[in-house]
């Protein structure tokens, strides 16, 4: 869909014909936008964030989505003026932690599965896109700021695909352990606590979706 394929681990930008380092368009579990060569399994956006090749804002609206890298042969150059900024995610668990949800167009089936799991959690009606956007936005951002919001939740019962903070660094709950995450990807395991309270990065609404059985994609290196 874009010129800079987030699926290539060595994807780098060019300016004035000169090869540069990795573009600043990768997203961490805490939602930061960074420059790293880490492979991206998904793309997505949260509005127009750039001027030139520089990221100048954190988000432009409450619509934060995750998309497939290729869809119906569409292609569009990155960094176009006044067009949304393409972002990339190592895996879907990272995108959930960052506060994104599946796109309703290019990921229609996943979008419907996410909505269904959302409704099954509290036992309510299927939410609209606007309802989900508003809820996720309130859970990922401290109101009136650009500061990230975290949530205290019991370790017991955290579903696979949930990101937590451990010693101020992101770690993923998966297969009965914690997979540590860095800008180079998953590296290292830690024991998963069975009691006490965790500082959870993933918005509670998406934790509910995961608990309801949504089949989140997790990179094999975390297992």
């Amino acid at each position: 869909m874009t010129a800079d394929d987030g699926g290539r681990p060595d994807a780098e930008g060019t300016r004035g014909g000169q090869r540069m380092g990795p573009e600043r368009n990768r997203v961490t579990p805490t939602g930061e936008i960074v420059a790293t060569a880490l492979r991206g399994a998904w793309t997505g956006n949260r509005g127009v964030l750039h001027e030139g090749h520089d990221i100048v804002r954190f988000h432009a609206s409450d619509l934060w989505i995750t998309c497939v890298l290729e869809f119906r042969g569409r292609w569009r150059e990155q960094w176009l003026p006044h067009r949304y900024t393409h972002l990339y995610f190592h895996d879907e668990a990272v995108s959930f932690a960052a506060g994104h949800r599946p796109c309703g167009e290019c990921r229609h089936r996943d979008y419907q599965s996410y909505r269904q799991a959302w409704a099954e959690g509290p036992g309510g009606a299927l939410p609209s896109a606007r309802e989900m956007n508003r809820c996720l936005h309130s859970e990922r951002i401290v109101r009136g700021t650009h500061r990230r919001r975290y949530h205290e939740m019991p370790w017991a019962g955290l579903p696979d695909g949930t990101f937590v903070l451990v010693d101020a660094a992101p770690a993923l709950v998966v297969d009965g352990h914690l997979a540590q995450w860095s800008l180079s990807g998953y590296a290292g395991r830690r024991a998963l606590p069975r009691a006490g309270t965790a500082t959870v990065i993933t918005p509670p609404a998406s934790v509910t979706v995961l608990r309801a059985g949504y089949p989140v994609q997790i990179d094999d290196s975390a297992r």
Side-chain angles (χ1 to χ4, degrees), residues 4 22-37 43-51 53-61 63-65 78-79 84-90 94 98-100 141 146 148 181 183:
D4 176 9
E23 297 277 15
R24 186 185 167 201
N25 55 16
R26 272 41 171 187
V27 182
T28 73
T30 56
E32 297 173 277
I33 304 171
V34 299
T36 176
T43 185
N45 77 85
R46 55 180 79 155
V48 181
L49 312 182
H50 67 278
E51 293 180 5
H53 283 232
D54 297 321
I55 301 295
V56 297
R57 59 186 62 86
F58 186 63
H59 67 89
S61 73
L63 174 61
W64 297 25
I65 57 175
Q78 282 208 81
W79 310 111
Y84 68 80
T85 306
H86 283 275
L87 305 173
Y88 295 95
F89 309 87
H90 184 47
V94 169
H100 291 242
I141 301 293
H146 288 165
R148 185 57 199 260
W181 192 91
L183 294 183

Side-chain angles (χ1 to χ4, degrees), residues 72-83:
R72 296 180 179 176
R74 295 180 185 177
W75 184 92
R76 197 195 63 157
E77 183 181 351
Q78 282 208 81
W79 310 111
L80 292 176
H82 313 300
R83 300 294 296 273

